[in-house]
């Protein structure tokens, strides 16, 4: 019975949140769709630069000198960190559907995140097409069959981007790191809208660890990671200031008009809250408005003066007799 009752409560929360989010989605779908389409454009651009890539000797890199090479068999370490950050962030953005305490609307926060990603990825495309560097990753080095791509046989071959193999084994899209774009956008977003201080600290720590693992895995040069750190942070800062601030749901003010049933529930909750406040005031001995207390104090003072005068009169009369 307990499980059934709790499951019913969760289901009501989910359905209520879905109805609100769908209303927002009908209003804000334009930028969301544009952001999703640009993810494909970004992948298409990364696939295109692979045709221009020419392998060569590794460039001198301070990070390569400082960090020992992990080896090809340890490349999964940085991907594991990235996957955990990615999945954790996605799940966190959907927590308003289940949890009672919530600070944002899922549609609005993804609208914001996609704006950050598109601006950063647009700069990234311009950068890696400007100059093609020899890739440091193992499949991009001299002697690897994947280092260069033969000319495409058709436009369709380019448009399909050979997903997911073409994404995992791409070359030439170096400055700046796409993994760091997603990581820093997600971490900065949680830092602003998240509520757990420890998770904020952990997220930044994981972003630093991922940066070091990317360099140690030789997936990127150090410059790719360093440029991502200051570029993405600056992009998020300026784009965030241009976008309208999201409404804070912690204050209980709804973004959308309430239905009649929701209004009745909200009025009942407010009434119950006022009754609880009055009850606590009665227990603490400070019931009522301060003005009323002052008026009662003045009335009690006048009554006290009248009692004193009456007592003095009676005492005088008694002495006279």
């Amino acid at each position: 019975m307990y499980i059934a009752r709790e499951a019913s409560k969760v289901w009501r929360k989910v359905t209520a949140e879905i109805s609100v989010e769908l209303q927002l989605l009908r209003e804000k779908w334009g930028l969301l769709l544009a952001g999703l389409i640009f993810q494909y454009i970004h992948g298409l651009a990364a696939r295109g630069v692979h045709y221009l890539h020419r392998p060569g000797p590794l460039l001198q890199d301070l990070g390569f000198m400082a960090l020992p090479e992990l080896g090809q068999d340890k490349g999964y370490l940085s991907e594991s960190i990235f996957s955990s950050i990615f999945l954790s962030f996605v799940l966190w953005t959907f927590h308003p559907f289940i949890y009672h305490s919530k600070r944002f609307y899922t549609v609005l926060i993804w609208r914001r995140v996609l704006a950050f990603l598109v601006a950063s990825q647009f700069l990234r495309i311009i950068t890696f097409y400007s100059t093609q560097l020899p890739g440091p990753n193992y499949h991009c080095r001299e002697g690897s069959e994947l280092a260069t791509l033969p000319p495409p046989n058709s436009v369709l071959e380019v448009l399909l981007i050979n997903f997911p193999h073409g994404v995992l084994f791409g070359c030439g899209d170096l400055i700046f790191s796409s993994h760091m774009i997603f990581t820093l956008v997600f971490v900065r977003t949680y830092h602003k809208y998240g509520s757990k201080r420890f998770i904020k600290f952990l997220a930044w720590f994981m972003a630093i660890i991922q940066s070091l693992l990317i360099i140690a895995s030789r997936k990127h040069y150090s410059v790719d990671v360093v440029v991502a750190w200051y570029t993405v942070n600056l992009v998020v800062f300026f784009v965030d200031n241009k976008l309208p601030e999201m409404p804070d749901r912690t204050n209980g003010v709804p973004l959308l008009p309430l239905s009649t049933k929701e209004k009745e529930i909200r009025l009942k909750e407010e009434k119950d809250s006022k009754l609880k406040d009055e009850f606590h005031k009665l227990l603490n001995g400070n019931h009522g408005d301060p003005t009323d207390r002052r008026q009662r104090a003045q009335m009690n003072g006048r009554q006290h003066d009248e009692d004193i005068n009456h007592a003095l009169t009676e005492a005088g009369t008694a002495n006279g007799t």
Side-chain angles (χ1 to χ4, degrees):
M1 290 179 64
Y2 175 78
I3 294 175
R5 184 169 63 251
E6 293 302 315
S8 177
K9 290 180 181 178
V10 172
W11 177 247
R12 285 199 300 268
K13 289 179 183 177
V14 172
T15 53
E17 191 70 21
I18 288 175
S19 63
V20 173
E21 296 286 354
L22 285 177
Q23 292 183 54
L24 283 173
L25 185 60
R26 282 194 289 266
E27 297 177 6
K28 312 291 185 181
W29 65 271
L31 187 57
L32 286 171
L33 180 61
L36 293 174
I37 292 174
F38 196 85
Q39 299 309 300
Y40 168 74
I41 295 173
H42 175 254
L44 186 64
R47 178 66 173 176
V49 79
H50 195 166
Y51 289 100
L52 305 176
H53 178 256
R54 295 294 177 267
L58 293 181
L59 303 178
Q60 186 173 352
D61 189 282
L62 185 61
F64 291 179
M65 298 177 188
L67 296 173
E69 188 171 349
L70 290 178
Q72 195 169 1
D73 58 330
K74 299 290 180 57
Y76 68 90
L77 293 175
S78 63
E79 295 298 329
S80 299
I81 296 290
F82 175 75
S83 299
S84 63
I85 293 174
F86 190 96
L87 292 175
S88 299
F89 181 81
V90 171
L91 291 174
W92 171 73
T93 59
F94 284 91
H95 85 270
F97 286 84
I98 298 176
Y99 285 89
H100 179 70
S101 60
K102 55 197 78 176
R103 296 186 60 184
F104 55 82
Y105 294 91
T106 300
V107 169
L108 296 185
I109 202 165
W110 273 107
R111 184 171 177 260
R112 210 172 194 84
V113 166
L114 286 171
F116 299 152
L117 291 176
V118 168
S120 300
Q121 290 167 340
F122 178 76
L123 294 176
R124 180 175 189 260
I125 293 172
I126 295 174
T127 306
F128 66 62
Y129 266 102
S130 299
T131 303
Q132 287 83 48
L133 304 178
N137 211 337
Y138 300 99
H139 64 270
C140 298
R141 298 180 184 180
E142 293 177 314
S144 173
E145 295 180 356
L146 301 174
T148 56
L149 291 178
N153 297 320
S154 63
V155 177
L156 185 62
E157 182 181 340
V158 179
L159 295 178
L160 293 178
I161 66 175
N162 193 21
F163 183 85
H165 187 270
V167 176
L168 297 175
F169 295 96
C171 298
D173 55 329
L174 293 174
I175 302 178
F176 40 96
S177 170
S178 179
H179 281 60
M180 291 309 301
I181 290 177
F182 280 92
T183 297
L184 292 172
V185 167
F186 291 169
V187 171
R188 280 191 62 101
T189 303
Y190 183 83
H191 185 85
K192 182 174 181 179
Y193 298 105
S195 57
K196 305 298 182 182
R197 184 176 300 179
F198 172 74
I199 297 180
K200 293 179 183 180
F201 172 80
L202 180 63
W204 284 112
F205 178 74
M206 292 179 68
I208 295 172
I209 295 299
Q210 181 184 302
S211 302
L212 299 176
L213 288 175
I214 287 174
I215 298 171
S217 301
R218 305 301 189 252
K219 295 180 178 179
H220 278 277
Y221 292 108
S222 300
V223 65
D224 308 335
V225 175
V226 172
V227 171
W229 267 93
Y230 65 74
T231 303
V232 175
N233 278 290
L234 288 173
V235 166
V236 173
F237 174 77
F238 285 109
V239 174
D240 189 52
N241 287 336
K242 293 295 182 181
L243 293 174
E245 188 54 65
M246 293 197 306
D248 190 354
R249 301 182 73 177
T250 56
N251 56 15
V253 179
L255 179 65
L256 300 173
L258 296 174
S259 63
T260 305
K261 185 177 180 180
E262 291 173 332
K263 287 180 180 178
E264 292 176 355
I265 294 173
R266 187 173 291 274
L267 288 173
K268 186 177 183 300
E269 291 176 351
E270 291 176 355
K271 185 178 179 181
D272 292 341
S273 178
K274 288 180 180 179
L275 288 174
K276 289 179 181 178
D277 291 340
E278 291 293 331
F279 179 72
H280 287 301
K281 288 178 180 179
L282 282 170
L283 291 178
N284 296 330
N286 58 350
H287 170 69
D289 185 74
T291 306
D292 296 337
R293 290 199 297 270
R294 286 196 299 269
Q295 291 176 352
R296 287 197 297 270
Q298 292 173 359
M299 293 176 63
N300 292 335
R302 285 197 294 269
Q303 183 66 37
H304 181 65
D305 292 340
E306 291 176 358
D307 292 341
I308 292 175
N309 293 333
H310 181 67
L312 291 174
T313 303
E314 288 182 346
T317 304
N319 292 332
T321 56

